[in-house]
Amino acid sequence: GIIVSNEMGLRTLFACFYRRLHKTSRLLVQAEVAESTEQGRGLGRSLVRKIVGRSADGFMVPGASGARYLNSLGIQSNKIFHIGYSADLRKFLALPLRRPESAVCRILYSGQLIERKGLQPFLQGLIGWAACNPERRLEFILVGDGPLRGTLESMELPKNFKMTFCGNRSFDDLSEVYARCDVFAFPTLADNWGVVVNEALAAGLPVIGSVYSQAVQELVIERANGWCFRPNDPQDTSATIDRAMKTDSQELASMREQARRTALRSGPEIVAARISSAIS
């Protein structure tokens, strides 16, 4: 039989012991890891992961960053399967790609309002750009909640910049918010994946995405369906925001189409097929 275990912690350690006792069994581990999320891990966790690495027969990872992390533990590449990640995208795929003409550029963020998501430095970059381009109007729309909300709300904004906090929304209501926006921002400092990137691309929103998100690394192509940046580098953040905000409407329309095509190539049925292949 085949054991499929999620993550590389205590549960998977028990699965390793079972694998050793039952010699005909095989162990396949869903390793939701990335280089950005594994920095500074304690000695105990590293030891457990090395034991798992020696005991398991195969590992499924979201992308290349996860594979590189497993390689650093001594796990050979031929034991690693690139799976990706997806979700139910039907509501987002049903949205029209064309957006009505507007004098305001609406930038959407969806997720927790916490420090790890890189919202403060990204917002400072947006505010700086708006201050230097007073003829342009920006609106930063945030869906979600968290302890950082009060700090974000208290930031001083230029007259041509508006922030809208939508709070938590149900999944069924999310697509309506995506339909009102022009681009999507995901400035995370560390994420195994970031399924909101899949949703944004399916909705036809080019993504201003952090290189510390595995979803951005795997799905976002510079100036084809988005823009990639290092959120802990203020200069790179500002330059990337400038590139995105100065993209003309014709190029933006082409990027919307490419974003949708990218999402269609990473749907749930494709991820399921890769998992089935790994098991086989």
Side-chain angles (χ1 to χ4, degrees):
I2 296 178
I3 310 156
V4 179
S5 182
N6 192 39
E7 301 178 348
M8 298 179 70
L10 191 60
R11 288 174 301 180
T12 301
L13 194 59
F14 287 136
C16 291
F17 296 147
Y18 181 92
R19 164 72 178 87
R20 289 188 177 185
L21 291 172
H22 299 79
K23 303 297 185 182
T24 60
S25 66
R26 295 293 180 267
L27 174 59
L28 182 61
V29 178
Q30 173 68 38
E32 295 184 359
V33 293
E35 291 160 304
S36 65
T37 62
E38 299 309 308
Q39 296 178 9
R41 296 293 191 183
L43 182 61
R45 178 170 291 193
S46 297
L47 180 60
V48 168
R49 293 190 168 185
K50 286 182 179 180
I51 294 172
V52 171
R54 290 194 298 268
S55 303
D57 300 284
F59 296 83
M60 298 183 291
V61 295
S65 179
R68 288 192 296 269
Y69 171 71
L70 294 185
N71 289 152
S72 74
L73 297 178
I75 298 169
Q76 296 178 348
S77 296
N78 62 2
K79 294 175 68 175
I80 301 172
F81 302 88
H82 293 232
I83 303 301
Y85 203 89
S86 191
D88 185 353
L89 302 177
R90 287 173 294 181
K91 284 183 175 291
F92 304 97
L93 291 169
L95 297 175
L97 286 177
R98 297 187 66 179
R99 296 294 191 273
E101 292 291 331
S102 173
V104 181
C105 178
R106 294 182 174 85
I107 304 157
L108 174 64
Y109 167 83
S110 178
Q112 294 174 292
L113 307 186
I114 56 176
E115 288 191 13
R116 180 171 60 83
K117 296 298 184 178
L119 288 165
Q120 280 179 280
F122 182 72
L123 180 54
Q124 288 167 348
L126 282 179
I127 290 171
W129 192 89
C132 293
N133 297 270
E135 75 286 357
R136 295 285 302 277
R137 291 168 57 197
L138 304 183
E139 182 179 6
F140 191 30
I141 299 172
L142 297 99
V143 175
D145 215 337
L148 202 61
R149 177 166 176 168
T151 301
L152 298 175
E153 287 179 320
S154 66
M155 295 181 74
E156 187 174 346
L157 307 178
K159 292 182 179 179
N160 60 328
F161 188 94
K162 177 184 178 183
M163 268 201 299
T164 301
F165 291 86
C166 299
N168 291 319
R169 293 290 189 97
S170 70
F171 181 77
D172 288 339
D173 293 337
L174 275 179
S175 60
E176 181 271 329
V177 182
Y178 279 70
R180 294 191 285 110
C181 297
D182 301 293
V183 297
F184 188 87
F186 193 55
T188 184
L189 300 174
D191 254 285
N192 288 334
W193 186 258
V195 74
V196 290
V197 173
N198 300 70
E199 294 171 354
L201 294 171
L205 297 185
V207 175
I208 306 173
S210 162
V211 296
Y212 304 123
S213 154
Q214 211 161 186
V216 171
Q217 293 179 19
E218 296 295 318
L219 301 178
V220 177
I221 303 167
E222 180 71 28
R223 298 197 77 98
N225 59 9
W227 310 266
C228 304
F229 74 106
R230 296 181 301 279
N232 53 352
D233 182 337
Q235 187 173 356
D236 189 40
T237 299
S238 297
T240 304
I241 290 171
D242 189 63
R243 291 198 306 275
M245 294 300 100
K246 291 182 178 178
T247 302
D248 64 45
S249 58
Q250 186 174 356
E251 185 178 359
L252 203 58
S254 175
M255 292 177 78
R256 294 190 197 288
E257 294 176 0
Q258 182 60 45
R260 175 72 54 84
R261 286 195 291 269
T262 301
L264 288 170
R265 291 197 297 268
S266 57
E269 66 286 347
I270 293 172
V271 174
R274 291 171 183 163
I275 293 172
S276 177
S277 177
I279 292 171
S280 297

